[in-house]
Amino acid sequence: MDKYKIAETETFSKKINTNKFNHLYNKIVMDVYPILRNNPYYGINIKKLKGKFKEIYRFRIGDFRIFYKIDENESIVFIMNIENRQDAYK
């Protein structure tokens, strides 16, 4: 049974439907979401950001990064954004 629900923000939904990212959506749904539903805090591709972004986590998928926030009270993982690695930390 899944411990967390997944919610995609409007920003993420718009970006994932662009030509740059749409090829990743199936992989995200099939491979990433099951991991995040079970435990969004720990994993080989999961890292908590630092500084003013300390509430945000990132999930690495090759050259791309998914950024998400966790609402522990509601048990929801909010998928906020997706970026290419070279653009993600600017």
Side-chain angles (χ1 to χ4, degrees):
M1 187 171 144
D2 297 331
K3 297 177 186 175
Y4 293 87
K5 296 176 186 170
I6 302 291
E8 297 175 352
T9 63
E10 190 174 327
T11 301
F12 175 80
S13 295
K14 285 181 181 178
K15 265 200 177 168
I16 201 67
N17 287 316
T18 62
N19 287 337
K20 185 175 181 181
F21 299 110
N22 66 357
H23 67 283
L24 293 170
Y25 191 67
N26 203 29
K27 180 172 180 60
I28 291 168
V29 170
M30 300 302 289
D31 297 336
V32 177
Y33 284 1
I35 293 168
L36 296 180
R37 282 188 190 108
N38 186 41
N39 187 351
Y41 293 101
Y42 303 105
I44 191 164
N45 293 314
I46 295 172
K47 185 181 269 187
K48 187 172 185 177
L49 301 184
K50 298 177 182 177
K52 66 180 180 178
F53 301 110
K54 65 183 179 183
E55 299 294 320
I56 299 174
Y57 291 79
R58 72 99 171 117
F59 194 103
R60 180 176 56 94
I61 306 173
D63 291 336
F64 299 93
R65 304 295 183 263
I66 294 176
F67 296 96
Y68 64 93
K69 197 170 188 178
I70 303 165
D71 181 341
E72 193 59 49
N73 294 330
E74 300 291 328
S75 296
I76 299 174
V77 175
F78 291 99
I79 309 299
M80 299 168 48
N81 204 351
I82 184 168
E83 288 288 347
N84 190 299
R85 164 63 180 96
Q86 65 191 15
D87 301 326
Y89 302 107
K90 288 183 180 180

